[in-house]
Amino acid sequence: MLTNIPGYPRIGSQRELKKACEQYWAGKISLERLELTARELRKENWTFLQAAGIDLIPSNDFSFYDQILDMSIALGVVPSRFKALQDTLANPTCLELYFAMARGYQKNNFDITAMEMTKWFDTNYHYIVPEFEIVQQYHLHRPKCVEEFLEARRLGITTKPVLTGLVTFILSGKIKDNHLTTSQVLQQLLPVYLQLLTSLQEAGAEWVQIDEPILVTDLDPTARELFHTTYHAISQAVPALKILLTTYFGGLEENTALAVQLPVQALHIDLVRAPEQLDSVLAALPEDKLLSLGVIDGRNIWKNNHATSLALINKALQQTGGHRLMLGTSCSLLHVPYDLEVETGLQPEIRQWMAFAKQKVAELRELQEIIAGNDQLLIANENSMDNRKIASIIHRPAVKARLEKITPADMQRHNIFALRQPLQHAALQLPLFPTTTIGSFPQTTEIRRLRADLKKGLITTETYEADLRNAITTTIHKQESLGLDVLVHGEFERNDMVEYFGEQLDGFAFTQNGWVQSYGTRCVKPPVIFGDVQRPGPMTVTWSRYAQSLTSKPVKGMLTGPITILQWSFVRNDQPRMNTAFQLALAIRDEVQDLEDAGISVIQVDEPALREGLPLRKAAHATWLEQAVKAFRLAVSTVSDTTQIHTHMCYAAFNDIIEHIAAMDADVITIETSRSQMELLEAFAQFRYPNEIGPGVYDIHSPRVPTVAEMEALLQKAVQLLPARSIWVNPDCGLKTRQWPETEMALRNMVTAARHMRLTASH
Ligand code: GLN
Ligand code: ZN
């Protein structure tokens, strides 16, 4: 049985690529130096995988920024706004254009906006969205996949080049012209894609991995047609290549027949996310095809349960004979950190249950040995699984018992919104078009240093707390003098909106170097939820109470919601994810109650990641959303009618989930709308969304100070769509990435815009 790795992390075990790219952008290192770093990282991965005995070693899984952008460059899918820049470059395929497409270009009299970025399926990895226009002329650019294949061969290593599938590539992109169809885009791109494969064939590649994860989503007849056209053309054009069609992140379901019948030599399936698909795939797979079994989890950091994998492998063995099977990780290891060995700070008991990329490669070899009869390895693995099952640090009977006792009443406010609203208005005494912010204020260098110094033990807790109180005091006074109505404390104590809570909850562990690429050079270090979640004590109350003591205006308590904490963590795999979400909800619920008890009358529970958790299949959306909404309601429904619950989400797609957003029953929702020019509000208006809304009136992602007039114009649009008394005035999102001067100017203008609105409304 061949071993197959669909992809390996590339940012560098010490984030070398991140650092090199950023230095290159800052003009501190040369292009040669950057390319040298990249070559070293590739070599390290290849030699490691070769030494580990992996048969199908990936190449072209390396990327300076994003593998989808690599494909755009390779096929010449360059938006026309970059054309003029491209014409001035000596080498039009160089990294300068590539980085310009990813990051925008404001140099040499150019001002070109970056390409859009969005999440790759249901991961936290963001890709650069390809843009298709009528005017584009596609031709083969810089065949990076060929270069990297040859580079590895010079090192004596035969690799399996990895390409994004053409259908997934097209369907993950955006068509910019109304008259252009996906079939037309395919017609134009296919010849170039075939050239790319031909050059791989000429370079002597044997196996080529083509990633088509779109096969685990709902496909319409046109998409199916794209598959037929593409793969028939490929089999004709490059008969000498062995194509390993790779799917992951879910099951093939009704696309099974389509996938197994495409003229390729092998199919890879994800048996971690969808073990049940093995039967139907085995039953349908033509006899001349190989099957790669993705049995080791590429999306999570837990040690593999070899017995579970073995059951799947044995079933496949019985029906095919080993010569037709490959063994692999479920998907690329891009989504997990490099190496567990360096995590000396983790509690050993927890650490022994985990595996990062390097360990997962070793697990593949272990599985091979177990298949060959090494029972010792299997027994050791079973023991480890057994001791995790009963470990006292994981299981908290009190938490489980509390979860059992939840009733629908716990997820329901005491009264309906129509009755709560007048009570809240009476209690809070806010003007029409009340103004507020989303929570965080600029995280200045001093604030960051303060937290870092505390962590390093350079300052005492007393000093830290005193300095933080000063920062809060200044921020409250600034907000008062700006004339804001509902104030915030500024979130200066938080490094990250999930980590801050995780660090104070039982059941969480933290790595020192567990970085995962999020986009480009940005990496995240997700917390690990290993056990039952419990809140030992209040997490935010001291800061909120202090902030409230400084002012007679309401100060919003600021919490992160259960679904967002879940989505941005590595979650335990020994119970359904939603159980963990409900445990998180209970912890947040206790915090909400404590805030209310401390005299906080407005509490915001952020759920910016709510949409990210949506299952890939539409049929599963409603059930998942119902559960997610319940978790949110469980977290907030403890408060009295007069306490106002806010939530915040920052994205622009609500149309398809609006009924669930309404079911959350937050008294106020603040959302991102400024970039979509209030278009988004139409979904709320059409639905007759009953509660209050704060449509973001300016984009916080840019240092630009919005004018009073433009914010007023947006608010004018909003009053066309929604009752004036439901409208709040606020920025798009938190202000932590901004500087103070622009923040104050922007908020001053925002408050003025709200005042103008009040004047017109009262006439
Ligand atoms: N309260 C958070 C902040 O203001 C919200 C961040 C977010 O939406 N991602 O920073
Ligand atoms: Zn936001």
Side-chain angles (χ1 to χ4, degrees):
M1 244 185 263
L2 297 177
T3 43
N4 171 32
I5 296 287
Y8 206 70
R10 58 205 179 201
I11 203 79
S13 58
Q14 301 304 316
R15 289 179 294 157
E16 294 89 337
L17 185 63
K18 169 198 173 69
K19 291 166 194 163
C21 279
E22 288 173 356
Q23 283 180 324
Y24 172 69
W25 296 337
K28 288 185 189 143
I29 63 167
S30 66
L31 182 62
E32 289 67 37
R33 179 67 239 181
L34 175 63
E35 281 178 336
L36 180 67
T37 305
R39 267 200 307 280
E40 281 168 355
L41 288 171
R42 290 193 290 260
K43 181 176 170 187
E44 211 176 291
N45 281 0
W46 291 326
T47 44
F48 164 69
L49 291 170
Q50 187 187 43
I54 297 301
D55 300 300
L56 297 184
I57 298 173
S59 62
N60 199 42
D61 56 339
F62 173 84
S63 179
F64 278 107
Y65 203 95
D66 164 43
Q67 73 273 12
I68 307 297
L69 180 60
D70 292 338
M71 187 50 84
S72 292
I73 285 278
L75 303 177
V77 184
V78 178
S80 49
R81 64 179 183 279
F82 291 94
K83 187 83 184 63
L85 168 66
Q86 204 177 0
D87 290 342
T88 68
L89 299 173
N91 172 1
T93 67
C94 66
L95 275 179
E96 187 148 6
L97 174 69
Y98 177 84
F99 286 138
M101 286 164 70
R103 309 176 62 232
Y105 195 87
Q106 278 179 314
K107 252 197 307 208
N108 313 328
N109 289 326
F110 286 104
D111 186 359
I112 319 174
T113 50
M115 292 172 73
E116 219 179 284
M117 191 165 67
T118 196
K119 297 218 165 214
W120 180 238
F121 292 81
D122 59 356
T123 71
N124 277 330
Y125 176 81
H126 301 67
Y127 70 97
I128 303 283
V129 181
E131 294 176 24
F132 304 111
E133 299 163 90
I134 286 186
V135 295
Q136 281 166 349
Q137 300 260 313
Y138 306 128
H139 31 78
L140 193 59
H141 280 191
R142 207 168 75 105
K144 170 179 170 293
C145 57
V146 179
E147 287 168 21
E148 287 181 18
F149 175 77
L150 295 174
E151 183 181 314
R153 200 165 59 187
R154 281 193 294 274
L155 297 166
I157 301 171
T158 306
T159 57
K160 163 202 64 173
V162 179
L163 296 180
T164 304
L166 190 54
V167 184
T168 296
F169 177 75
I170 293 174
L171 296 181
S172 304
K174 227 183 190 168
I175 295 197
K176 291 292 193 175
D177 291 298
N178 283 336
H179 303 297
L180 198 58
T181 65
T182 48
S183 311
Q184 287 166 329
V185 174
L186 182 87
Q187 290 294 322
Q188 293 173 319
L189 280 178
L190 188 53
V192 192
Y193 198 79
L194 295 178
Q195 276 177 37
L196 192 69
L197 285 166
T198 307
S199 43
L200 279 174
Q201 181 175 268
E202 281 162 6
E206 182 193 1
W207 280 104
V208 172
Q209 172 181 322
I210 302 190
D211 287 3
E212 292 283 16
I214 202 87
L215 277 166
V216 309
T217 67
D218 305 321
L219 295 178
D220 61 20
T222 317
R224 295 164 174 277
E225 210 34 60
L226 299 184
F227 269 106
H228 286 294
T229 313
T230 304
Y231 286 87
H232 283 96
I234 289 176
S235 74
Q236 305 261 303
V238 284
L241 286 184
K242 293 186 187 160
I243 305 293
L244 168 52
L245 180 69
T246 298
T247 67
Y248 40 77
F249 302 155
L252 289 166
E253 299 182 22
E254 77 289 352
N255 300 328
T256 305
L258 170 69
V260 299
Q261 278 158 24
L262 293 174
V264 296
Q265 284 62 43
L267 174 68
H268 174 86
I269 54 174
D270 183 338
L271 292 176
V272 175
R273 276 292 181 84
E276 70 287 347
Q277 69 176 324
L278 182 61
D279 289 318
S280 48
V281 171
L282 283 173
L285 195 75
E287 295 224 322
D288 57 343
K289 271 187 196 157
L290 276 74
L291 185 63
S292 168
L293 309 170
V295 289
I296 289 180
D297 196 349
R299 290 285 299 273
N300 213 334
I301 44 75
W302 303 107
K303 186 184 266 187
N304 188 50
N305 184 327
H306 288 340
T308 307
S309 300
L310 211 56
L312 293 163
I313 296 165
N314 282 335
K315 185 185 272 179
L317 272 174
Q318 276 162 18
Q319 296 190 38
T320 61
H323 61 288
R324 285 178 58 205
L325 294 180
M326 297 180 192
L327 216 52
T329 53
S330 63
C331 60
S332 167
L333 295 172
L334 177 67
H335 310 288
V336 294
Y338 270 85
D339 189 4
L340 184 64
E341 257 163 59
V342 301
E343 298 297 338
T344 47
L346 279 174
Q347 214 175 313
E349 190 172 8
I350 300 171
R351 205 178 99 153
Q352 62 166 345
W353 300 322
M354 293 165 61
F356 290 178
K358 207 172 159 192
Q359 288 70 40
K360 285 172 191 283
V361 171
E363 286 183 332
L364 261 190
R365 290 303 307 270
E366 277 185 26
L367 273 176
Q368 266 191 324
E369 285 186 43
I370 290 170
I371 296 163
N374 187 335
D375 287 342
Q376 286 317 93
L377 276 175
L378 182 60
I379 291 166
N381 181 267
E382 278 172 345
N383 286 342
S384 164
M385 296 297 136
D386 287 347
N387 83 33
R388 181 174 163 202
K389 242 176 247 158
I390 52 164
S392 60
I393 56 165
I394 291 185
H395 301 285
R396 293 172 189 277
V399 175
K400 295 192 209 292
R402 191 174 170 205
L403 210 57
E404 295 267 295
K405 281 199 224 103
I406 292 171
T407 65
D410 296 327
M411 295 179 276
Q412 186 86 39
R413 296 286 294 272
H414 306 299
N415 277 300
I416 58 166
F417 177 72
L419 295 176
R420 301 194 304 263
Q421 190 181 34
L423 297 176
Q424 290 168 13
H425 286 188
L428 293 169
Q429 289 295 319
L430 298 171
L432 260 188
F433 303 106
T435 54
T436 191
T437 61
I438 305 304
S440 58
F441 268 107
Q443 293 254 337
T444 56
T445 330
E446 299 86 83
I447 292 289
R448 287 173 203 279
R449 188 179 315 124
L450 201 58
R451 281 198 313 264
D453 284 353
L454 176 73
K455 225 170 194 167
K456 286 187 213 137
L458 296 178
I459 52 171
T460 63
T461 313
E462 289 70 41
T463 313
Y464 170 75
E465 289 180 351
D467 286 0
L468 216 77
R469 276 196 296 273
N470 284 338
I472 292 173
T473 310
T474 318
T475 306
I476 292 287
H477 291 157
K478 276 192 177 140
Q479 294 172 85
E480 284 191 318
S481 73
L482 286 166
L484 288 157
D485 301 304
V486 173
L487 316 188
V488 297
H489 75 287
E491 300 182 21
F492 304 118
E493 73 286 9
R494 303 179 195 179
N495 181 27
D496 174 277
M497 65 186 288
V498 169
E499 191 174 66
Y500 179 76
F501 291 95
E503 278 175 346
Q504 300 187 73
L505 290 168
D506 294 332
F508 279 76
F510 294 86
T511 64
Q512 288 162 314
N513 201 41
W515 297 101
V516 181
Q517 192 176 8
S518 171
Y519 63 86
T521 58
R522 188 168 153 76
C523 299
V524 294
K525 200 154 58 69
V528 177
I529 308 181
F530 68 87
D532 289 337
V533 174
Q534 179 169 274
R535 192 194 71 140
M539 304 181 280
T540 64
V541 177
T542 321
W543 303 122
S544 286
R545 185 194 281 124
Y546 176 72
Q548 185 64 81
S549 75
L550 302 168
T551 174
S552 56
K553 296 210 167 164
V555 176
K556 259 197 288 193
M558 205 53 66
L559 306 173
T560 303
I563 300 298
T564 298
I565 299 181
L566 188 79
Q567 282 307 120
W568 294 349
S569 302
F570 283 121
V571 179
R572 59 193 285 195
N573 60 355
D574 60 346
Q575 67 176 20
R577 278 171 75 85
M578 269 301 168
N579 284 18
T580 304
F582 276 87
Q583 293 185 355
L584 288 162
L586 283 176
I588 300 298
R589 180 182 175 92
D590 293 342
E591 187 71 13
V592 166
Q593 187 59 60
D594 281 349
L595 282 170
E596 184 182 57
D597 292 346
I600 303 299
S601 53
V602 182
I603 301 168
Q604 177 172 312
V605 177
D606 290 326
E607 281 291 21
L610 189 93
R611 243 204 108 87
E612 291 172 18
L614 274 185
L616 293 173
R617 299 280 187 166
K618 288 229 165 59
H621 282 193
T623 313
W624 188 88
L625 282 163
E626 279 157 22
Q627 294 295 311
V629 168
K630 277 189 183 168
F632 177 84
R633 292 173 61 135
L634 179 61
V636 300
S637 293
T638 164
V639 294
S640 68
D641 289 344
T642 46
T643 298
Q644 190 171 57
I645 296 292
H646 288 218
T647 189
H648 165 71
M649 290 170 203
C650 36
Y651 39 81
F654 281 100
N655 284 296
D656 54 336
I657 59 168
I658 184 80
E659 60 182 292
H660 300 280
I661 299 297
M664 289 168 77
D665 197 26
D667 298 304
V668 181
I669 179 172
T670 53
I671 51 174
E672 179 196 297
T673 31
S674 71
R675 278 186 292 184
S676 62
Q677 291 284 310
M678 299 281 153
E679 256 169 49
L680 175 58
L681 275 191
E682 272 157 34
F684 285 83
Q686 258 170 25
F687 184 78
R688 300 189 169 280
Y689 182 79
N691 302 11
E692 299 180 16
I693 311 181
V697 292
Y698 82 88
D699 178 10
I700 57 89
H701 300 90
S702 143
R704 192 179 158 269
V705 175
T707 64
V708 176
E710 68 190 75
M711 287 188 277
E712 217 180 308
L714 288 176
L715 288 167
Q716 288 295 353
K717 278 194 193 172
V719 284
Q720 307 294 317
L721 294 164
L722 302 162
R725 69 180 170 122
S726 303
I727 301 174
W728 285 65
V729 180
N730 47 264
D732 253 0
C733 192
L735 297 159
K736 61 170 167 250
T737 56
R738 297 271 60 86
Q739 306 288 318
W740 270 112
E742 77 232 21
T743 298
E744 290 193 65
M745 283 189 271
L747 291 177
R748 184 161 290 122
N749 288 354
M750 186 185 90
V751 170
T752 309
R755 287 186 178 145
H756 289 178
M757 292 301 293
R758 284 170 206 156
L759 286 177
T760 36
S762 61
H763 284 316

